């Protein structure tokens, strides 16, 4: 019987509640598919700061190293926002995990589910045009990590600087990830850059063109980041896979997420070249609704499905979860934020949605 | 009688046609306000490449230096897209003019006009919520111009880099511009950054806070760029003035422009500390509709109004133009792209709209 081990990092805010539902679903998967998914919980984020003195304790990092994958909840909240930047949950835990495990390939699927178009801030005809975009974001290089970075000088001439930097190798591996994903989808990659201004973007474009030669069945086009933010609003159905650098992917994936109007449904995967990965909901820790049992667990559950698919190659199990989610949405077992205001009294709780998916 | 001189750079695509209408309106302003607005035309962009061999000929630059302001049309088109980057119209003409005249302060007002909400790609309730945003973008520094920028190394380790860089002085002057603008509007500045990742953004935030102390009547808040692109979609009416660095302002202003669904109405101003400025429509050269007499001249005409206001202090004349534009829109004298598809046969031509405003 195959066995996998998972480091479970629930974190802050709604993290622990939605993780509980993902765990229920993974329990069901164990039975149905006769596999063992050994889970070990570790503290992370603000909770770890409060209990262990730091956002990513050594034992958490060690636990992640020993696991086959990390299932991550969400971290951060107003309580820890006044800490120095380096100690804050986002930077000290999330960015550190990304770079420690070289999780360069971030996949963020965003779709508008049939029946939920009314949640989108976009006009009805646009929301109903069949929106299904996969943002493939480079996650361990670019201006987030490029050196040098710092501050120099005195008085009004004091200046700060950051370096956007990409090597061919770094661009190639994320471009390959995007093309491979497009082969399994609608066969189109749109690479996002600012090649009319940035040297990094010109290299990005060159390497994307080189990689395209190895994928004759995939179409490649290029779009400037400023135009991309416009087209996502005007005609999002034109996009299949969007290939982005770290900063542009941060922007594009969040705009795509908002376009669906249902952030609580969106999972994400961050993987390295060995298939090890961190899987987390695209939304945040939502401290305002934490502890009330009303948070949507679907993003966390779909993140677990991505984990089974990408880090454990358990495609049948992943398919089963994804189908159960769609069936649950179709049946109308929905948390409140997915319902029109006048129907919120029919909302299901976090655990009711989890149970239905199980 | 007061006299001003204007360098008129019509450029490519629809530039010349819409400039003709702006000229008509300026002729009317001369008579009504008894002033002289001496205009001299100079070649720029693709047209200048074709006729003079370069996108910004020396005589054009000299003509701009001798004028009180530059009224700019639009440049670029597929014909010149295959040129090396440094020779292309956008870079060789537009970026050079911005940096030559130190046009650091870029103002891009975007509003959804009453009656035109149906053009917005946003849901009707959002489009009707009273959207009126001024993007104040830093235009001569940041990652567009920061040094070093280049390529190094060999093979797969070859890498490219760009430097994002801001001094306190550079941040302060654009922040002051944003706060001054907010004082004349609804008294709110939202500063856009990525302070959880970028050192430049942290300095940006610090200086914005310092400047805020001198403007006790203006409220300041901060938003991350990724969240900004989401909030613009979800609730754009929350914003009054958005203060942005060069790259983030490029992204935010284009997303705001698209949100209106009527790019042909949006002007922009790019000014230096002496009040010298370049005024141009926010949209592009639209080569696909050029020469057909159907382009909307309003963005160009409103750009001329901004020029009168900011570089010539002719507020009455600027007010008169802006009122005439609103009256024209209310009367329904509209170019085709502002009309629903089934009413396009009632569209007015470029020159009819110009005449009505005159
Ligand atoms: C928390 C922050 C550093 C992070 C990022 O910008 O990468 C977040 O916005 C994300 O997209 O995961
Ligand atoms: C043409 C390009 C370099 C320019 C920019 O990015 O500044 C344009 O997008 C703009 O916003 O005026």
């Amino acid at each position: 019987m195959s066995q996998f081990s998972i480091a479970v990092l629930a974190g802050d805010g709604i993290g622990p509640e939605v993780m509980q539902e993902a765990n229920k679903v993974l329990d069901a998967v164990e039975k149905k598919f006769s596999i063992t998914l050994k889970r070990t919980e570790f503290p992370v984020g603000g909770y770890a700061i409060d209990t262990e003195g730091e956002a990513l304790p050594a034992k958490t990092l060690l636990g992640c190293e020993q696991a086959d994958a990390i299932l991550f909840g969400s971290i951060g909240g107003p309580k820890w926002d006044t800490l120095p930047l380096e100690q804050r949950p986002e930077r000290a835990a999330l960015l550190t995990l990304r770079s420690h495990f070289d999780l360069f390939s971030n996949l963020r699927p965003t779709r508008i589910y049939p029946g939920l178009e009314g949640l989108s801030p976009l006009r009805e005809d646009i929301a109903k045009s069949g929106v299904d975009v996969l943002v493939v974001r480079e996650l361990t290089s670019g201006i987030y990590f490029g050196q040098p970075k710092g501050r120099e000088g005195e008085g009004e001439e004091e200046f700060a600087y950051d370096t956007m930097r990409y090597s061919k190798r770094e661009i190639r591996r994320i471009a390959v990830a995007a093309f491979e994903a497009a082969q399994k989808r609608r066969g189109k990659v749109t690479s996002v850059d600012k090649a009319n201004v940035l040297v990094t973007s010109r290299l990005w474009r060159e390497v994307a063109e080189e990689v395209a030669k190895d994928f004759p069945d995939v179409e490649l086009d290029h779009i400037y980041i400023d135009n991309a933010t416009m087209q996502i609003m005007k005609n999002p159905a034109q996009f299949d896979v969007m290939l982005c650098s770290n900063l542009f992917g941060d922007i594009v994936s969040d705009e795509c997420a908002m376009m669906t109007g249902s952030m609580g449904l969106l999972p994400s995967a961050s993987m390295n070249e060995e298939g090890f990965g961190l899987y987390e909901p695209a939304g945040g820790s939502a401290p305002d609704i934490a502890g009330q049992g009303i948070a949507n667990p679907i993003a966390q559950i779909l993140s677990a499905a991505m984990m089974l698919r990408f880090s454990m190659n358990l495609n049948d199990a992943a398919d089963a979860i994804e189908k159960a989610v769609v069936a649950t949405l179709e049946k109308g077992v929905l948390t409140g934020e997915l319902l029109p205001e006048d129907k919120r009294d029919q909302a299901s709780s976090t655990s009711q949605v989890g149970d239905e998916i199980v």
Side-chain angles (χ1 to χ4, degrees), chain A:
Chain A
M1 191 166 94
S2 54
Q3 173 166 335
F4 299 92
S5 75
I6 302 165
V8 175
L9 279 57
D12 307 317
I14 59 171
E17 324 165 35
V18 295
M19 191 63 87
Q20 199 172 325
E21 304 312 309
N23 267 321
K24 273 192 208 164
V25 172
L26 291 175
D27 291 343
V29 163
E30 285 188 309
K31 282 197 209 115
K32 188 171 158 93
F33 294 91
S34 305
I35 49 176
T36 304
L37 301 168
K38 184 166 173 293
R39 279 150 276 166
T40 319
E41 293 184 9
F42 296 98
V44 75
Y47 172 76
I49 293 176
D50 292 351
T51 55
E52 317 267 329
E54 49 182 334
L56 187 67
K59 70 173 174 198
T60 300
L61 194 59
L62 188 68
C64 291
E65 283 173 353
Q66 291 167 344
D68 295 308
I70 305 168
L71 189 60
F72 197 91
S74 52
I75 55 175
K79 186 172 172 194
W80 307 283
D81 270 355
T82 47
L83 288 175
L85 199 63
E86 296 67 29
Q87 292 168 33
R88 270 160 60 177
E90 297 89 339
R91 233 197 134 85
L94 203 52
L95 292 195
T96 306
L97 283 169
R98 288 177 186 169
S99 101
H100 181 82
F101 291 103
D102 194 24
L103 306 173
F104 72 96
S105 174
N106 182 220
L107 306 186
R108 303 205 183 190
T110 44
R111 46 188 288 213
I112 301 186
Y113 284 92
L116 297 180
E117 294 92 349
L119 298 168
S120 169
L122 297 180
R123 224 168 51 204
E124 194 182 353
D125 57 319
I126 303 176
K128 287 200 165 150
S129 61
V131 177
D132 183 356
V133 185
L134 175 67
V135 179
V136 176
R137 170 186 175 195
E138 201 291 327
L139 204 59
T140 51
S141 184
I143 201 164
Y144 277 57
F145 296 97
Q147 291 296 337
K149 227 182 215 310
R151 264 167 94 144
E152 276 173 39
E154 294 283 326
E156 280 304 279
E157 296 311 319
E158 179 177 0
F159 64 95
Y161 51 98
D162 296 274
T163 303
M164 184 178 278
R165 189 194 138 124
Y166 271 106
S167 72
K168 278 193 160 184
R169 187 181 53 79
E170 288 169 335
I171 301 170
R172 191 176 311 276
R173 65 180 184 172
I174 191 70
V176 168
F179 278 88
E180 284 175 353
Q183 275 182 325
K184 295 188 203 127
R185 295 172 46 100
R186 302 193 304 281
K188 186 172 161 195
V189 169
T190 304
S191 174
V192 178
D193 66 35
K194 186 78 192 174
N196 49 353
V197 173
L198 302 177
V199 184
T200 335
S201 287
R202 267 186 279 173
L203 186 62
W204 186 273
R205 222 173 242 230
E206 267 177 46
V207 177
E209 292 286 348
E210 277 176 33
V211 171
K213 294 202 187 102
D214 296 332
F215 294 85
D217 50 335
V218 176
E219 183 195 336
L220 168 68
D221 57 19
H222 306 276
I223 190 169
Y224 295 141
I225 175 68
D226 46 330
N227 192 22
T229 60
M230 298 205 284
Q231 295 303 324
I232 290 168
M233 231 184 220
K234 190 182 172 192
N235 180 14
Q238 74 186 282
F239 297 115
D240 178 15
V241 174
M242 299 185 84
L243 165 63
C244 306
S245 63
N246 204 341
L247 179 62
F248 294 165
D250 179 41
I251 296 168
V252 164
S253 63
D254 269 0
E255 191 186 354
C256 283
M258 178 51 81
M259 156 191 90
T260 68
S262 47
M263 295 270 267
L265 299 179
L266 305 177
S268 82
S270 305
M271 291 170 297
N272 67 19
E273 286 181 280
E274 286 77 47
F276 180 84
L278 180 154
Y279 300 84
E280 60 173 329
S285 61
D288 49 318
I289 61 159
Q292 299 174 38
I294 59 171
N296 193 332
I298 291 183
Q300 188 73 60
I301 291 167
L302 288 176
S303 298
M306 288 185 99
M307 173 185 77
L308 299 175
R309 188 183 302 287
F310 294 121
S311 284
M312 297 158 193
N313 214 10
L314 298 169
N315 289 308
D316 291 347
D319 287 345
I321 295 178
E322 286 165 6
K323 273 194 204 120
V325 166
V326 171
T328 302
L329 292 174
E330 275 169 4
K331 197 169 159 189
V333 180
L334 305 171
T335 43
E337 93 286 0
L338 298 181
L339 290 163
E341 302 226 353
D342 57 337
K343 294 199 175 146
R344 294 263 156 100
D345 54 331
Q346 295 161 32
S348 301
S349 68
T350 305
S351 66
Q352 283 168 335
V353 172
D355 290 342
E356 181 67 29
I357 294 170
V358 164

